[in-house]
Amino acid sequence: MHWNPFRSKPKEKGLARETPAEQGNPQDRFAVHLLHEQKAPPDALVDIIAVHGLGGRLYDTWTDEASGKLWLKHFLPDQMQNAKARIMTFGYDADLRSRNVLDIMGFAENLLAGLRTHRRRVDPTRPIIFIGHSMGGLVIKNALLTAKDQGDPIADATFGVMFMAVPHRGSQTADWATIISGIANLATPLSTAAIEQLKRDSGDLLNLSIRFGNMQESLMFVSVLEGERTKLASWLGRGSIEVVPPESARLNLGGRREQTFSISGADHRTVCKFSSATDHQFLQVAGALEDLAENALRQRRQRLAAQGPVPAVGNGINQKQNPRAQPTPLPVPGEDRSPPVQTQYTGVPIPGKSPGIPITAASGPIVILPFPRNPDVVVRKSIFKELDEKLPGHTKQQSAAVWGLGGTGKTQIALEYAYRRHESTGCSVFWVHAANTERFEEDYRKIADKAGLPSELKGDELFEQVEQWLRAQENWLLVLDNVDDLDLFSAGFQGASAGPNDPKPPELLRFVPSGLHGSILWTTRDESIKGRLVSLKQEINANTMDEEDALAMLQGLGHLSNAPERRAEQLKLVNTLEKLPLAIAQAGAYLRQYPEISLESYIVDFSSGQLLGEEFLDRFRDSRMPNSVLRTWHLSMKKIGAISSDSAKILNASAFFDSEGIPFEFLRHTLGEHATDHTTMTAIGLLKRFSFLQAHQHNGQSSKTYQLHLLVALAIRQSLSEHEKQACATRAISVVAELFPRDWMRKEWTKCREYLPHALAVLGRRQQGSPTPEAALLLRKVAHHYMELGEHEPALSCCNQSLEMFRVLDGAESAGYLGSKRVLAEIEVERGNYDIAVKLSSEVLGERRANLGERDPDIAESMTDVAEVDYYLGRWDEAETLCQHVLRTPVRMRDLDKSSTMNCLATVFYQQGRLPEAEKLLRDVVEMRQKLIGDRHPETHLALANLAAVVSAQSRWAEAENLERKVLLFRLETLGEKHHDTLRAMANLAVTVGEQGRRKEAVELERKLLDFRLAKLGDSHPDTLYAMRNLGVTLGHLGEREEAERIAEEVLTRRRKRLGNKHPDTIRSMTDLAVCYAVDQRWEQAQKLQAEALELSQEILGREHPETAYTLANLAVNVSNQGKRKEAAEMQEKVLRMRRAMYGDMHLETATAKANLAMTCGYVDRREEAERLAREALQVRRSKLGPDHPDTLHTTGDLAGTLTHRDKWDEARQLVQEGLPRAEKTYGKEHRVTQHMRTTLDLCLKRLGEVRTSRKEAGSTALTNGGGRARRPSMEWDVLRRLGRTR
């Protein structure tokens, strides 16, 4: 079943109604069908043909769903009063889920074939009007261009076209496959070759528009526009779109030649559907069609009057005598439309050809080949399979082209195919060298001699007679070799070399035969043969050779062993030679001649360029063609230079870029600041024609990148003088240095990734020992990008090289030198070497102060750099002082620099526990960056990530998780899964997930994160230690005590070694390990470590700092668990006062302090206070965390136990009956929290059921059996976030 994306409401349970033609054989659906024929005289005066778009169908595209009326059949005939019309519709395989990969050109050819069939018995001058919807309009344009090129009468008979929402310049939508799938309400986006051609400003549409512009002078047009936006499927989440905007739907011809209007209320899929003959919109369309038809009839009458009497057609019968006679179409290579050729001729001239010379068929096969069969040829199976498919030999005459770079073996492929074809079919074979007119005439003379044609024939007369003779043969193959100048065959496509006064080149295509019994094989370096001399489906790319074929060729030509142990070094050689047949043949000949030379030595010499010009004898190649790689390409390079200096500049500069993925922007900048897209594309076009450059789509997007064969680049560099080489290398470095994004522009991450190979290539190919400012700048940019990738060693290497270059060029106090030194400090921060980083940043600040003065923006930037490193060193007061100074001092600051300083200050506030202040600052930073650099910039998302951390620290979990997932998705999309910013986002999300009680989910994220960081950063990097620490804490919450303790010990050891004993991260690790000891009831070890941590925290961070409160809280729990309840209660009361002052009464940190103090109060007979504190803690945790969170369940059990000691048995029972199922779901039935609740419930039920039991007995029983307060106070053990800094 074919889905129609341009159908607003599906019928019959989602299945579209199908006509018999649509239900039947695909060959019936994909053809021209008659909708309306004039049944009574006079016959139809005009043919109207409608062509649907992508995803459309033969009839359904034009049928209104509500009424079921097909307006082309039911309404239009009655409206064409003055121009009686025969109306047809054309169907093709536009199903979005079809495996058919026909392109628009293929659809166009099928349209022409169907029209020829329907117009076989009508006057060939009968006017034609086309109607095209969406992509159908592009099919029509291609069909008319093809008809014109082939001399088909259809082109001259076409007078008008109605385009309905046709994307002449593509669509603004970035993903046509997704959009059309969305219109169709399909589950997933789809992609076809035709969809690729619809992308806005694609090369295919641009080329089509240019070519169609040359023939539209004689045509009249109607452009119908969409009246409203098109709704998409809900899964796209994009509502509606304007599929084809007005600027793309118009031809913009102006005047009387183009009529334009929109269909009010109609979207892209309904713009071609009408419900009734009185519909105002239909009447407007029908009136426009009638105008086109009347204009066509008027022009036809004028044309016939100017021509005089109607000429004879068909078999010489006058049109008036036989109005159904058909003219003989012009022959076109690759497609036979001529009358059947008789197998025997007896001197009767072929109609339309020069009379008087007898043309007879040969008595047997004739073979004219220039070389003997090559016994060493390697059969490239994929290419020969394509040749057999494209030139089957048993159907109508076909034409195919093998194209590729010089040296790719095109001639050898054609030679072997010719011998095979003759051997298997007994056909005649003719070989023509077609590099120029002289060689073409020379080989046509050889054929004339075999045919017995007069020896005095020359020039066009010779070509014409040979062409007639070839057509008379019964079974033949014609090879046209080295057709590198396509202008010789098609004057309509003159190259860039043609000047306004230059004579037109000969159109040799006229003398290439067509017929039912022959095939033509072209070989060329010019890729543009596709669509010019052969159809797009009939091309074969010879540029690629299979590795196994290349290996077999080297072994055969070099007489090398095929032993398995030699395979690796032989493969290394063929890959060094880029699997290029000519280079392999050259290597084989050399190694055969010098068997003592090792393959490794040959690789070294070849890679240096020494062997590129080595000639060798090859009796299977044209003796007038060079055999060395260098000389083969040098001929093409020389010709390119003579035709276009711009092309030569691009080619020479490209040899210094990386050979893969050369961006269009590089090539344009190579030509200088005044170059335009048009001049650049023209220059590139010539290089593509010679197969030096090949175009690629970058990630499916419209921006082009190009590939230069690696050996071509080597040959170009080898052919340049030292002076030329240095000039080209310098220019290439300048281009890359200018376009490589600046240090802070992380939004250009994709471009950095794309440009990096080219930066490394041009830097590696520069002349050593001669530093330039451009090279120094490029090295700094590359160093910064390596830092972003987490590749610290190459980042250091490049940055140090940049520093040395700037020092030599401008001195150690120059702006360039200090800029590179600043990047070096950033690299050391990322490596975790904070002491080195603060020294470097302070030195840059000192130099800038000495040279620039306090009010310069660079001073503010450097002060923020120092503050950021102070933050990582745990010197938060110093960091705050610097940031406040920058923000309060009246210095000139760049807006982005100001936002960086604010971000730094906010991270300091976060660490100081000043969360509301931090949140306000970060919201200001987000708003500022959204205005300055947009929502999608990485720096904006960095501020969002920090804001999420601050929000999460205030227990607003849902809001925090939403922000963190947004940041993570953005970074996954733009930076990739393993980038350190992505990993930081993943780490913060894991914290938020864990704090909501989803600790198993958090562990999965944390293990994945740790694996990435261990692999990328090593086991001692601060980011790795953060990941290890958080994983250990989460495992501790899940009861995995041994692994949690092992991780805590390892993190503390590494932090002591890396950061010292007084760093805040080290102090936190002491507390973490102490918690592990306490959980394992090793009270004394825990208390000793906690006391040390508390002392350091009070000294380094202050007595009122959140970290100090955290350490004191855990020490208090440990003291309580040792039975020192009153001492513990005093500590916990202090913690509660600190947290109330820091966070307020409703914060989760405050709730934790209340819960632990409540437990201790119960032990010292302060039961009323214990109940009050437990109720307050439970209220906060329920509201903030929900009833299923582990902390909520802990407090539920604790409060129930306290209530039993207050003789509130019924309330205690209700609490545990509500909490027990949740605990079993969260922890499982065997967890201590679950067991504690179950025991408490049993006691409550027993007490409430046995009323005679005394209260004293009940209380005693509760304590004995583990109810009430049997559970110990909870240790505070939380995971941490690492906030990001601005780069």
Side-chain angles (χ1 to χ4, degrees), residues 450-472:
K450 286 285 186 180
L453 296 175
S455 58
E456 62 271 14
L457 292 174
K458 294 181 180 180
D460 285 5
E461 191 176 8
L462 169 66
F463 300 157
E464 186 174 355
Q465 293 304 314
V466 169
E467 187 268 343
Q468 292 182 42
W469 182 83
L470 285 172
R471 290 186 66 222

Side-chain angles (χ1 to χ4, degrees), residues 511-523:
F511 310 117
V512 177
S514 62
L516 285 174
H517 307 295
S519 298
I520 300 171
L521 178 60
W522 310 73
T523 74

Side-chain angles (χ1 to χ4, degrees), residues 226 534 538 571:
E226 302 166 13
V534 299
Q538 292 296 105
L571 281 176

Side-chain angles (χ1 to χ4, degrees), residues 80 99 142 755 854 1171:
M80 305 295 288
R99 293 184 179 180
N142 264 288
Y755 292 174
E854 286 291 332
E1171 180 184 342

Side-chain angles (χ1 to χ4, degrees), residues 57-96:
R57 288 188 295 185
L58 192 66
Y59 300 132
D60 193 65
T61 291
W62 317 101
T63 301
D64 177 70
E65 292 166 11
S67 64
K69 296 296 185 181
L70 197 166
W71 65 274
L72 292 168
K73 178 177 181 179
H74 297 122
F75 308 150
L76 186 60
D78 293 337
Q79 294 296 323
M80 305 295 288
Q81 296 298 324
N82 299 322
K84 298 296 183 181
R86 179 173 64 161
I87 303 172
M88 294 169 276
T89 179
F90 170 63
Y92 57 94
D93 190 358
D95 183 356
L96 291 169

Side-chain angles (χ1 to χ4, degrees), residues 271-292:
V271 73
C272 53
K273 302 174 187 286
F274 305 105
S275 59
S276 73
T278 59
D279 186 329
H280 171 72
Q281 309 286 9
F282 164 71
L283 293 175
Q284 190 174 12
V285 168
L289 285 171
E290 190 169 19
D291 289 344
L292 289 178

Side-chain angles (χ1 to χ4, degrees), residues 45-46 254 267 319 407 425 462 500 555 582 604 709 725 729 746 887 926 1135 1213:
L45 302 175
V46 178
D267 60 17
Q319 182 72 28
T425 67
L462 169 66
Q555 291 170 345
L582 181 58
V604 172
H709 200 289
K725 202 177 293 184
R746 294 196 290 163
L887 293 173
V926 170
V1135 171
R1213 175 186 59 78

Side-chain angles (χ1 to χ4, degrees), residues 205-220:
L205 293 183
L206 178 62
N207 182 49
L208 179 61
S209 296
I210 292 171
R211 293 182 63 206
F212 192 69
N214 296 328
M215 76 167 293
Q216 61 190 25
E217 294 296 328
S218 61
L219 301 178
M220 298 288 287

